[in-house]
């Protein structure tokens, strides 16, 4: 079972490769919340999201045979790029299974910038799994799961670990929850440092499986995946559910509008490009469901990868 | 005449009030340029731009009578907010003359967030000057010019001063040029620290008055103000022209497309919200007009204030 010491070990393993991301503050935000708010900005992480931490930790721990055979992941998001770049840095072959509907720019980034082999499949969960299984059988690849993996969780926890090292005496930490990897790692890092620090998870109301799972005591699934926070659509695994159930102080949910409002605040007032999933934790703080007055609060901003093609095309039209 | 020591004095005067803005780096950018590039991110400055430095320096130096009478500025941009906030922090009345065409959001920010009195006028340079003169005569306000002012220049120079303190041994510094306040201050700070550090100014091709002024030896004016870099449309003053003429290594110009490309790089790859004027200096580096290979380069990113209303309205439509 993964614990606080695995986070420490992961930190030593990855610290020379990942970015120690900045912690940002804002007088306006502090005034708005009547609190001291510290944003741990994983949008400034390599590949633009915290996923790099877990992927590098996991892949660097593989044994020689696994390394020789290569790794595989199925994702069209940040995990794909994290696995591809980590493998590249470690000189390991990576294969990424992506749905044929993936944006061209993501396929190209994964293949050309990060050097992975991209294999396309139909855009269903079944097709992805089938294709991945088929390739693992054929080539002996090791699957790098995006969150159902102790090393991924320990790696993800290093963001909160760095935050606590930088900003002492936090009263609370807010983190988003999707599959639960980042939240699990954050819980281990924070509660291992000081069990009295409260950890709140924030989830989009539209995909509130983790919230409902905590109430029912068993893993609930999302019926729709109708949220702008495209990094948080997945369900928990037994592994992450257990850690969350034992450690989290509360899971709160936020509306789509609250997520966009938080995102707009981050962009306009703090000049930070943050993706919707990355703005969720701040949306949770701003929702005032948890009394934060006069508290010292850490907020995990998970990533900043968002498609800006349309926005810049619009600007380009103006200068023509 | 303003000099290096005025920058040092300005720094001591403002350092507890302005943000020491972060210096950001990017492996991708370093690879792209074959250089070590350090971005001094004044988009993270209070009010979102370097203007805060000069405004606070200038207003805090006023004598008691001037302070009692209050200050005035005419601007619809970053200077307006910098004067308004600086005056507010110093307990001084500020009046800002703005054209009736100013975006409502800017008027409200200046008035409501920063507590200045906003006086509207017709949208011509003549009308602005006339209204400002009229109010000065009537109330004895002190005019805070956006760049034709030694204290504004010294304050602006503190950004480069901080950069040099943080990152030693720079070979070059790139800064944008509009009215020349930021460039003048940067030149004093950099050449005062070490005259061997080269300073390059970057100007939009469409408003290349400074570039032409340096060639002709007299202040040239812009015929059109057709550039997306709306902070760089103004002409030099005698004061800034003299400092630039004596100190700058070269002025280079960049196209509108180069500005937008640099901006897109900053947003997409570095997750930094930067306004077009703020991306100009990086556009200059990326234009490869100056050989930067294996050099250590400082780049002044001047600000990040850009209207994102349309962008977020579009996002809001998607979640409805």
């Amino acid at each position: 079972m993964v614990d606080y010491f695995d986070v420490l070990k992961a930190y030593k393993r990855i610290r020379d490769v990942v970015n120690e991301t900045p912690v940002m503050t804002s007088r306006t935000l502090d005034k708005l919340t009547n609190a001291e708010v510290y944003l741990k900005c994983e949008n400034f992480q390599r590949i633009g999201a915290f996923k790099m931490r877990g992927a590098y930790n996991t892949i660097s721990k593989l044994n020689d045979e696994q390394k020789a055979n290569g790794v595989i992941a199925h994702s069209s998001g940040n995990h794909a790029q994290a696995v591809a770049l980590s493998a590249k840095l470690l000189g390991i072959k990576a294969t990424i299974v992506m749905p044929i509907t993936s944006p061209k720019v993501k396929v190209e980034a994964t293949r050309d910038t990060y050097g992975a082999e991209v294999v396309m499949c139909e855009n269903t969960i079944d097709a992805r799994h089938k294709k991945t299984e088929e390739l693992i059988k054929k080539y002996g690849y090791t699957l790098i799961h995006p969150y159902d993996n102790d090393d991924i969780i320990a790696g993800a926890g290093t963001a909160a670990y760095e935050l606590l090292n930088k900003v002492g005496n936090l009263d609370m930490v807010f983190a988003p929850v999707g599959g639960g990897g980042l939240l699990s790692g954050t819980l281990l890092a924070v509660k291992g440092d000081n069990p009295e620090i409260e950890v709140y998870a924030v989830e989009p109301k539209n995909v509130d499986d983790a919230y409902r799972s905590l109430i029912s005591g068993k893993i609930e699934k999302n019926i729709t995946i109708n949220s702008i926070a495209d990094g948080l659509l997945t369900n928990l695994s037994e592994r992450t559910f257990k850690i969350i159930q034992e450690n989290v102080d509360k899971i709160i949910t936020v509306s789509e509008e609250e997520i966009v409002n938080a995102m707009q605040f981050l962009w306009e007032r703090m000049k930070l490009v943050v993706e919707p999933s990355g703005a969720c934790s701040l949306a949770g703080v701003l929702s005032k469901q948890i009394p934060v007055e006069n508290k010292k609060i850490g907020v995990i901003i998970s990533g900043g990868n968002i498609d800006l093609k349309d926005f810049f095309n619009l600007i380009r039209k103006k200068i023509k």
Side-chain angles (χ1 to χ4, degrees), chain A:
Chain A
M1 173 103 177
V2 56
D3 63 21
Y4 179 61
F5 297 100
D6 293 309
V7 178
L8 302 191
K9 280 183 257 172
Y11 177 67
K12 287 187 182 155
R13 208 172 283 123
I14 70 176
R15 67 179 167 194
D16 294 333
V17 174
V18 304
N19 296 339
E20 177 170 346
T21 50
V23 175
M24 306 292 281
T25 59
S26 152
R27 286 178 188 81
T28 310
L29 182 55
D30 286 358
K31 215 178 277 177
L32 206 62
T33 53
N34 270 315
E36 267 178 65
V37 185
Y38 297 87
L39 306 185
K40 178 63 175 168
C41 289
E42 288 291 302
N43 54 327
F44 292 129
Q45 189 49 267
R46 296 183 82 163
I47 72 101
F50 77 96
K51 293 279 187 186
M52 187 64 196
R53 297 176 181 270
Y56 193 85
N57 186 48
T58 306
I59 298 174
S60 63
K61 276 188 73 186
L62 298 180
N63 66 36
D64 289 349
E65 194 193 335
Q66 289 172 314
K67 284 182 178 166
N69 286 341
V71 296
I72 190 166
H74 52 84
S75 161
S76 57
N78 295 332
H79 181 62
Q81 297 184 40
V83 168
L85 178 57
S86 297
K88 185 185 173 187
L89 292 170
L90 289 159
I92 294 170
K93 177 181 161 68
T95 303
I96 311 291
V97 177
M98 287 179 136
I100 42 167
T101 50
S102 305
K104 207 180 152 198
V105 58
K106 290 217 171 177
V107 176
E108 284 174 0
T110 308
R111 192 173 49 205
D112 304 336
T113 312
Y114 302 122
E117 183 183 356
V118 174
V119 176
M120 299 307 233
C121 71
E122 294 299 315
N123 185 29
T124 67
I125 293 173
D126 260 9
R128 280 206 221 181
H129 284 145
K130 224 174 133 182
K131 176 57 83 184
T132 307
E133 282 307 316
E134 181 192 315
L135 292 167
I136 289 173
K137 256 186 204 146
K138 198 163 167 187
Y139 299 108
Y141 296 149
T142 299
L143 175 69
I144 310 296
H145 193 279
Y147 54 89
D148 190 29
N149 178 321
D150 285 350
D151 297 322
I152 290 283
I153 290 170
T158 60
Y161 178 76
E162 280 180 10
L163 173 63
L164 292 168
N165 279 356
K166 183 110 177 182
V167 187
N169 301 321
L170 286 173
D171 296 304
M172 304 172 167
V173 173
F174 284 73
V177 54
L182 177 59
L183 176 57
S184 297
T186 302
L187 285 165
L188 297 178
V190 173
K191 300 290 185 179
D193 180 86
N194 177 359
E196 291 190 5
I197 304 173
E198 293 158 20
V199 178
Y200 295 101
V202 187
E203 193 173 33
K205 218 166 257 167
N206 284 4
V207 288
D208 63 348
D209 58 302
Y211 173 79
R212 287 183 285 109
S213 299
L214 217 58
I215 292 173
S216 73
K218 61 181 174 56
I219 296 179
E220 304 288 343
K221 308 235 177 237
N222 288 314
I223 299 133
T224 68
I225 50 162
N226 182 28
S227 173
I228 190 173
D230 57 358
L232 305 177
L233 308 179
T234 41
N235 304 307
L236 302 178
S237 71
E238 290 293 346
R239 188 188 314 261
T240 55
F241 182 46
K242 192 164 186 301
I243 298 170
I244 292 167
Q245 211 176 14
E246 284 173 6
N247 292 284
V248 80
D249 287 273
K250 199 171 182 179
I251 299 184
I252 60 175
T253 62
V254 289
S255 69
E256 296 298 296
E257 210 185 333
E258 285 175 311
I259 296 170
V260 176
N261 288 345
M263 199 175 138
Q264 186 165 6
F265 181 90
L266 289 163
W267 289 49
E268 279 190 350
R269 306 301 299 250
M270 295 191 69
K271 314 305 174 189
L272 299 170
V273 174
V274 173
E275 60 189 83
S277 309
C280 254
S281 45
L282 183 63
V285 176
L286 296 175
S287 76
K288 308 212 165 175
Q289 296 174 67
I290 308 293
V292 298
E293 290 76 19
N294 304 314
K295 302 283 184 191
K296 217 168 153 181
I297 303 170
V299 179
I300 311 283
I301 302 293
S302 58
N305 290 328
I306 180 166
D307 192 348
L308 292 167
K309 210 173 64 245
D310 292 349
F311 177 69
F312 280 98
N313 283 344
L314 216 70
I315 292 184
R316 283 203 177 79
K317 259 181 209 156
K318 280 186 203 161
I319 63 166
K320 280 281 142 73

